[in-house]
Amino acid sequence: MNFDFTDDQHAIKRTAKEFLAARYKPERLRELAEAGEYDDAVWAEMAELGWAGIFIDEQHGGQGLGIVELVILMEELGYALAPSPFFANAAAGLVLQGAGTDEQKQRWLPGIASGEGTGTVGVLRDGGAPLVPDADTAAVLVLLDENGGGTVVTGADAEIEPRATIDSTRRFSSVRATGGEPLGSDTEGARAAICTALAAELTGVAQRAMEMAVEYAKDRKQFDRPIGAYQAVSHRCAQMLLEVEGARSTTYYAGWAADNEPESLPLAASMAKAYASDAGWRVTASSLQVHGGIGFTWEHDLHFFLKRAKTDGHLFGGAREHRDRVAGLALRSGAAVGA
Amino acid sequence: MDLTLSPKEQAFRDELRAWMEANHPGEEPEGDEAAFEFRTAWQRKCHEDGWAGISWPKEFGGRGATLIEQAIFNEETVRAKAPAQANVLALAMGGPTVITHGSEEQKQRFLDPILSADEIWCQGFSEPDSGSDLASLKTRAVKSNGGWKVTGQKVWTTFAHHAKWCMLVARTDQDAPKHQGLTYFLMDMEQEAVQVRPLVQITGEAEFNELFIEEAEIPDENVVGGVGNGWGVAITTLMHERATLAFGLQVQVKIALAELVQLVRDEGLDDDPVIRQRIGQLVTEAEVLRLNAYRGLTQIMKTGVPGPEGSLGKWHWSDVNQSLTETAMEVRGPEAPVVDGEWTYRFLRARANSIEGGTTEILKNIVAERVLGLPKLR
């Protein structure tokens, strides 16, 4: 039993943290978020580093690594709050690699892996996908239906309407499409891997918001004392740590299950997404409370984190939906209880 | 990352499971005396077959198990619904303290009877006016001929009514700063000067006791770790087993959860959306308990220092266990307050979880100050 990354995985994490901290300094982040833009040069660098295809097979142009490596990158992207098409593109890669036909894989995975022809995934509801990340620039779109299947369409075949969300660090659209090519197989595993990736991003966002709160609580003085000396504040910070660590543990476990124990993945991923969706919101909201009035201002960066966390929490099923799925598994077979 | 057991760890688990199955003594009898006898007999059997003192070094009669093996042992004991070993406080805390801080003579004198359950131990740390603030304790020991005379009062003393020895912390220097005037003693409970009075709890049981001590005698050779060093020795005692404690607790929660899931089915609430949300949350939280414990253990094995997950475990467990039993009451509906010997007992007993072994408030202080580095209010 060893619940730790390998040396290589630690190296990926270190590199990602340093790279993203250098590229997305707070001023730059704000500039991009306020303009609603990504930095194409940074995306090209990420692709150069092999990030875009980190989990994609080598035969399709990827690095041939696993979901744990994807989790590592997503956590750091969340920590840096990177405005980037990384997630949307990875989601498309996960579905096509997991459920695409051979032909679909050959056609789309190399572009996704190199970052030159990005993809995205939407979840259909009443015939359209209401909130699809980075659909406006995607070369290929996968639309998942309610029965575990999905279709593949090109940008040219889809009606894409940009939508403003509270999260200005990313771009979203609604998508409608008729026709398209059905996927080759069931998407359950791919959906679970997508949820795991989002849980990882939420963990990173929450970690950063907690660090901001702790730093502020040490510096900010009221009644001649740092506010972090008051239990109302320090206990709130301790609660943040509990939730961040819980989100991290369930997410890493789901990543490990995806690579090593796929039969455990659907449950593990739903637990991770449920827990991290709540933790992402509660920790960022709690961090805002610790910051007081300044945290509510546009001028402070915290709101970008809070809004991204809220948005991630609702993508690919919110906490309520995933908790219900966990309960269903427990009540049906008892397997989820696992004593 | 590898969340499966190594072949050696798996072999340990298999051997233990087979042994538990072959030797399981069945249901624990009702009544304090009978139950304690039963646990004593169980510990003797464990000791005979080499399953007492799992993490103690082999030279002192233990098994010399790794942290993971200790964790597996805790998990498997709960999973098999095997009884607790009678001398649990001495096995988990007293013995390891003597091994770390005791003299050669103390090791010779005290360790064997702990393993064989011939001498039961209790722990005299808490006092009526000093629970969380251990350094403020008032029980005092005054030097006498060849030893010490101890006077004071202790409280929440588990097993005091069965115990031969008490790990007692008393003030030996009134003038020294709070932490420095304390000494760790092993007090013989079988003397007139020590009176034990059971404390009846909200469950109606008496697990704990009050201890009234009036000039009890303790010889010099029963000081552990030197006069005035009680604080450090006591901390060692409290540190022992914290690392692996969570493993037994998380399995306990999972077993209770399986029973709760059955209760939900029996009550026909499988499709109740509110209950489903609670069950989904509890299943997830129970998994967080398990996974945080695993991550904490990995951290200790790698660096020798518990990670932040370790400090969170006990507090989180008490939250989860309380919320689990509250959900069970909700599911039982109008039957909930009826005494059933099962859920009502657990529901009431769980109220102690956030107090015993360090209150949630104190644990949050520890996390805030030592893990997050926030300033102290003092």
Side-chain angles (χ1 to χ4, degrees), chain A residues 1-6 9-10 68 210 213-214 217-218 225-226 228-231 233-235 237-239 241-242 244-250 252-253 256 260-261 267 270-272 274-275 278 282 319-321 323-328 330-334 336-339, chain B residues 1-6 9 68 79 247 251 253-255 257-258 261 264-265 269-271 273 275-281 283-285 287-288 290-295 297-298 301-302 308-309 312 315-316 319 360-365 367-368 371-377:
Chain A
M1 206 282 293
N2 173 20
F3 204 161
D4 192 15
F5 297 134
T6 62
Q9 289 165 342
H10 276 298
V68 171
M210 174 181 74
V214 167
K218 287 178 189 171
R225 289 195 179 107
Y230 297 101
Q231 286 183 327
V233 175
S234 70
H235 286 191
C237 292
Q239 181 71 33
L241 183 72
L242 174 62
V244 171
E245 293 297 341
R248 183 169 284 129
S249 291
T250 48
Y252 288 1
Y253 169 58
W256 176 83
N260 299 284
E261 215 179 81
L267 172 63
S270 277
M271 290 197 291
Y275 194 92
D278 282 340
R282 284 209 291 251
R320 182 185 57 79
E321 192 180 325
R323 266 197 302 273
D324 191 70
R325 187 169 302 170
V326 172
L331 287 162
R332 203 185 317 140
S333 63
V337 177
Chain B
M1 202 179 277
D2 183 3
L3 296 180
T4 51
L5 297 179
S6 72
E9 291 156 3
I68 296 212
R79 185 173 284 132
F247 289 86
V251 178
V253 165
K254 291 208 161 183
I255 290 172
L257 202 49
V261 162
V264 170
R265 289 199 201 113
L269 291 170
D270 309 46
D271 294 324
I275 296 300
R276 284 174 73 93
Q277 286 294 305
R278 299 232 203 291
I279 296 292
Q281 183 71 22
V283 169
T284 303
E285 298 271 2
E287 190 65 358
V288 168
R290 178 178 82 96
L291 295 168
N292 276 349
Y294 273 32
R295 277 181 61 222
L297 198 56
T298 297
M301 291 192 302
K302 201 173 142 190
E309 309 82 16
L312 302 170
W315 147 31
H316 186 213
D319 276 3
T360 292
E361 287 71 17
I362 289 290
L363 295 171
K364 285 184 178 177
N365 285 351
V367 169
V371 183
L372 297 176
L374 287 168
K376 293 186 177 194
L377 186 54

Side-chain angles (χ1 to χ4, degrees), chain B residues 78-119:
Chain B
V78 176
R79 185 173 284 132
K81 299 190 181 169
Q85 298 188 16
N87 214 3
V88 54
L89 295 175
L91 288 168
M93 298 190 287
T97 302
V98 169
I99 290 169
T100 309
H101 295 284
S103 65
E104 244 352 276
E105 292 74 24
Q106 287 170 341
K107 289 173 192 169
Q108 291 297 329
R109 167 67 189 80
F110 291 106
L111 295 176
D112 273 345
I114 290 178
L115 290 171
S116 59
D118 286 345
E119 292 179 353

Side-chain angles (χ1 to χ4, degrees), chain A residues 38 101 171 192 252:
Chain A
Y38 297 155
T101 62
R171 298 213 300 265
Y252 288 1

